[in-house]
Amino acid sequence: MKFNKLLDTMPIYEAGKPIDLIARKYGINKKNIIKLASNENPFGTSLKVITKIKSSMNEMFRYPDDSMYELKNSLSKKFNVNKSNIIIGAGSDQIIEICVQAKCDKKSTVLMANTTFAMYEISAKKVGAKIIKTKDDEHNLEQLFDLYEKHGADIIFLCLPNNPLGECLDKNDVYAFLKKISKKTLVVVDGVYQEYASFKDKNKLINASDLITKFPNCIYLGSFSKAYGLGGMRIGYGIADKNIINTLNKVRNPFNVSTLALIAANEALKDEDFVNKTIKSNFNEMLRYEEFAKKKDIEYIDSYTNFIIYKFGNKFDSKILSEKLLKKGIILRDLSSYKMNAIRITIGTNKQNTKVLEVLNKLLK
């Protein structure tokens, strides 16, 4: 059977291994498995959201409100933008795909950092666009601009903070870069982890309203999967000039987000205490991983997210280490698929982190 030839060179996105799979494979009780591989909220979901969902189960038989009025209204107040500036997607990755479909074809060029969110490349390859990457793994604006001058770009992806590495550019540096970019180029500013970055360092804060006012060729992406604890609901959003949003809505499928996801996201925005508790715990616990790395002489990247990267060089093999951890019931993210000898660890609860560090300490001896 023949398929679209563009799929021949397309990588398959490697998701974090599910708990049920590891339980079956290694015969481990699910309750004893710690999953810190997918950057989920270790505190789960706000109780207020859970209560709201339970009381809304009788709405499942209805198609969603395709105008998504309630959630857009809440987001417009939060970000000080108009509802016409907002698009909602089944996760921010759906909006990434919509952006690429709306802007690119086989003659297009897409520019990004060497190591960044895999869905940028996957979405671009689906339409046959040419992909240009920087030499450096982390975001290097000088390299990005040099490549932009040489090759041009229909879309530039900036992941701020960057997944899977965790580094983040300062807002002023980003703005200086954007001033040099043609208004014909769509710049996707992926702010899925912005809640974490702006908490740790106000210089990293990208204000969505300010961004799209100064740079009407930009779209800001956000998500409810991380700090808000709604990864299983698959819901994210984009904020941009209304002309961009109108075009993207031509590509967006009707009823692309479920009724319960819309309800959950809208309720999650009301519980900022839960989000603040999550983020404060995240950076307190991250200090333990940083201290561990220093004691073991392991290189790590200063992270502005809810995860940390350990880079092993020639000291350890990330594939072997990850497999040994799986046998112990600990799921972390091996980054060998990114051609890196490294692991990514989502910051868990105090109890989870204690267990992970104990096991790592034994294995790394």
Side-chain angles (χ1 to χ4, degrees), residues 316-327 334 341 363:
F316 310 101
D317 187 306
S318 64
K319 276 188 177 181
I320 295 174
L321 178 61
S322 297
E323 185 66 26
K324 288 183 177 180
L325 286 164
L326 288 177
K327 293 178 181 178
D334 170 32
N341 184 27
L363 292 177

mmCIF file of all heavy atoms in Angstrom, residues 316-327 334 341 363:
data_model
loop_
_atom_site.group_PDB
_atom_site.id
_atom_site.type_symbol
_atom_site.label_atom_id
_atom_site.label_comp_id
_atom_site.label_asym_id
_atom_site.label_seq_id
_atom_site.Cartn_x
_atom_site.Cartn_y
_atom_site.Cartn_z
ATOM 1 N N PHE A 316 27.874 8.207 31.797
ATOM 2 C CA PHE A 316 26.822 7.206 31.874
ATOM 3 C C PHE A 316 26.099 7.150 30.538
ATOM 4 O O PHE A 316 26.187 8.065 29.736
ATOM 5 C CB PHE A 316 25.813 7.538 32.993
ATOM 6 C CG PHE A 316 26.443 7.847 34.314
ATOM 7 C CD1 PHE A 316 26.579 9.164 34.739
ATOM 8 C CD2 PHE A 316 26.918 6.838 35.134
ATOM 9 C CE1 PHE A 316 27.164 9.471 35.951
ATOM 10 C CE2 PHE A 316 27.505 7.127 36.351
ATOM 11 C CZ PHE A 316 27.628 8.440 36.762
ATOM 12 N N ASP A 317 25.359 6.060 30.323
ATOM 13 C CA ASP A 317 24.557 5.901 29.118
ATOM 14 C C ASP A 317 23.088 6.120 29.492
ATOM 15 O O ASP A 317 22.536 5.373 30.291
ATOM 16 C CB ASP A 317 24.759 4.501 28.527
ATOM 17 C CG ASP A 317 24.080 4.339 27.177
ATOM 18 O OD1 ASP A 317 22.868 4.601 27.092
ATOM 19 O OD2 ASP A 317 24.751 3.940 26.211
ATOM 20 N N SER A 318 22.455 7.153 28.903
ATOM 21 C CA SER A 318 21.087 7.495 29.297
ATOM 22 C C SER A 318 20.093 6.376 28.987
ATOM 23 O O SER A 318 19.126 6.170 29.730
ATOM 24 C CB SER A 318 20.645 8.784 28.593
ATOM 25 O OG SER A 318 20.593 8.615 27.190
ATOM 26 N N LYS A 319 20.335 5.627 27.903
ATOM 27 C CA LYS A 319 19.426 4.529 27.556
ATOM 28 C C LYS A 319 19.471 3.430 28.612
ATOM 29 O O LYS A 319 18.444 2.931 29.072
ATOM 30 C CB LYS A 319 19.805 3.937 26.184
ATOM 31 C CG LYS A 319 19.232 4.664 24.998
ATOM 32 C CD LYS A 319 19.502 3.880 23.730
ATOM 33 C CE LYS A 319 18.857 4.559 22.526
ATOM 34 N NZ LYS A 319 19.084 3.786 21.279
ATOM 35 N N ILE A 320 20.694 3.044 28.984
ATOM 36 C CA ILE A 320 20.863 1.981 29.984
ATOM 37 C C ILE A 320 20.308 2.424 31.331
ATOM 38 O O ILE A 320 19.600 1.679 32.011
ATOM 39 C CB ILE A 320 22.347 1.590 30.108
ATOM 40 C CG1 ILE A 320 22.844 0.971 28.789
ATOM 41 C CG2 ILE A 320 22.562 0.631 31.264
ATOM 42 C CD1 ILE A 320 24.331 0.697 28.771
ATOM 43 N N LEU A 321 20.622 3.665 31.705
ATOM 44 C CA LEU A 321 20.143 4.188 32.981
ATOM 45 C C LEU A 321 18.614 4.238 33.018
ATOM 46 O O LEU A 321 17.993 3.842 34.010
ATOM 47 C CB LEU A 321 20.720 5.581 33.226
ATOM 48 C CG LEU A 321 20.271 6.277 34.517
ATOM 49 C CD1 LEU A 321 20.683 5.476 35.740
ATOM 50 C CD2 LEU A 321 20.836 7.682 34.586
ATOM 51 N N SER A 322 18.008 4.703 31.934
ATOM 52 C CA SER A 322 16.551 4.805 31.878
ATOM 53 C C SER A 322 15.887 3.443 32.000
ATOM 54 O O SER A 322 14.854 3.293 32.664
ATOM 55 C CB SER A 322 16.116 5.485 30.576
ATOM 56 O OG SER A 322 16.606 6.803 30.517
ATOM 57 N N GLU A 323 16.503 2.438 31.361
ATOM 58 C CA GLU A 323 15.953 1.079 31.434
ATOM 59 C C GLU A 323 16.055 0.528 32.851
ATOM 60 O O GLU A 323 15.114 -0.117 33.350
ATOM 61 C CB GLU A 323 16.689 0.173 30.449
ATOM 62 C CG GLU A 323 16.127 -1.240 30.352
ATOM 63 C CD GLU A 323 14.729 -1.289 29.769
ATOM 64 O OE1 GLU A 323 14.367 -0.372 29.001
ATOM 65 O OE2 GLU A 323 13.987 -2.243 30.089
ATOM 66 N N LYS A 324 17.163 0.790 33.511
ATOM 67 C CA LYS A 324 17.320 0.328 34.900
ATOM 68 C C LYS A 324 16.312 1.014 35.820
ATOM 69 O O LYS A 324 15.782 0.395 36.741
ATOM 70 C CB LYS A 324 18.740 0.613 35.381
ATOM 71 C CG LYS A 324 19.803 -0.290 34.765
ATOM 72 C CD LYS A 324 21.192 -0.001 35.341
ATOM 73 C CE LYS A 324 22.230 -0.957 34.772
ATOM 74 N NZ LYS A 324 23.585 -0.703 35.321
ATOM 75 N N LEU A 325 16.046 2.277 35.553
ATOM 76 C CA LEU A 325 15.058 3.009 36.348
ATOM 77 C C LEU A 325 13.657 2.452 36.127
ATOM 78 O O LEU A 325 12.859 2.351 37.074
ATOM 79 C CB LEU A 325 15.102 4.496 35.990
ATOM 80 C CG LEU A 325 16.302 5.272 36.519
ATOM 81 C CD1 LEU A 325 16.452 6.602 35.784
ATOM 82 C CD2 LEU A 325 16.172 5.523 38.015
ATOM 83 N N LEU A 326 13.345 2.068 34.885
ATOM 84 C CA LEU A 326 12.040 1.490 34.598
ATOM 85 C C LEU A 326 11.826 0.205 35.400
ATOM 86 O O LEU A 326 10.727 -0.046 35.911
ATOM 87 C CB LEU A 326 11.905 1.191 33.101
ATOM 88 C CG LEU A 326 11.755 2.390 32.173
ATOM 89 C CD1 LEU A 326 11.715 1.929 30.716
ATOM 90 C CD2 LEU A 326 10.501 3.186 32.486
ATOM 91 N N LYS A 327 12.858 -0.592 35.516
ATOM 92 C CA LYS A 327 12.760 -1.841 36.286
ATOM 93 C C LYS A 327 12.534 -1.570 37.768
ATOM 94 O O LYS A 327 12.049 -2.445 38.500
ATOM 95 C CB LYS A 327 14.028 -2.673 36.085
ATOM 96 C CG LYS A 327 14.188 -3.200 34.663
ATOM 97 C CD LYS A 327 15.485 -3.971 34.495
ATOM 98 C CE LYS A 327 15.629 -4.476 33.063
ATOM 99 N NZ LYS A 327 16.903 -5.204 32.835
ATOM 100 N N ASP A 334 14.213 9.516 28.581
ATOM 101 C CA ASP A 334 15.511 9.364 27.919
ATOM 102 C C ASP A 334 15.513 10.254 26.674
ATOM 103 O O ASP A 334 14.596 10.201 25.854
ATOM 104 C CB ASP A 334 15.716 7.900 27.538
ATOM 105 C CG ASP A 334 16.925 7.690 26.646
ATOM 106 O OD1 ASP A 334 17.898 8.460 26.794
ATOM 107 O OD2 ASP A 334 16.888 6.765 25.810
ATOM 108 N N ASN A 341 22.817 12.379 25.038
ATOM 109 C CA ASN A 341 23.023 11.404 26.105
ATOM 110 C C ASN A 341 22.605 12.086 27.408
ATOM 111 O O ASN A 341 23.428 12.582 28.169
ATOM 112 C CB ASN A 341 24.487 10.962 26.166
ATOM 113 C CG ASN A 341 24.713 9.873 27.204
ATOM 114 O OD1 ASN A 341 23.810 9.112 27.528
ATOM 115 N ND2 ASN A 341 25.919 9.812 27.740
ATOM 116 N N LEU A 363 22.219 3.798 41.525
ATOM 117 C CA LEU A 363 22.540 3.388 40.154
ATOM 118 C C LEU A 363 23.768 4.102 39.601
ATOM 119 O O LEU A 363 24.552 3.517 38.843
ATOM 120 C CB LEU A 363 21.341 3.650 39.226
ATOM 121 C CG LEU A 363 20.108 2.776 39.456
ATOM 122 C CD1 LEU A 363 18.986 3.181 38.519
ATOM 123 C CD2 LEU A 363 20.444 1.302 39.243
#
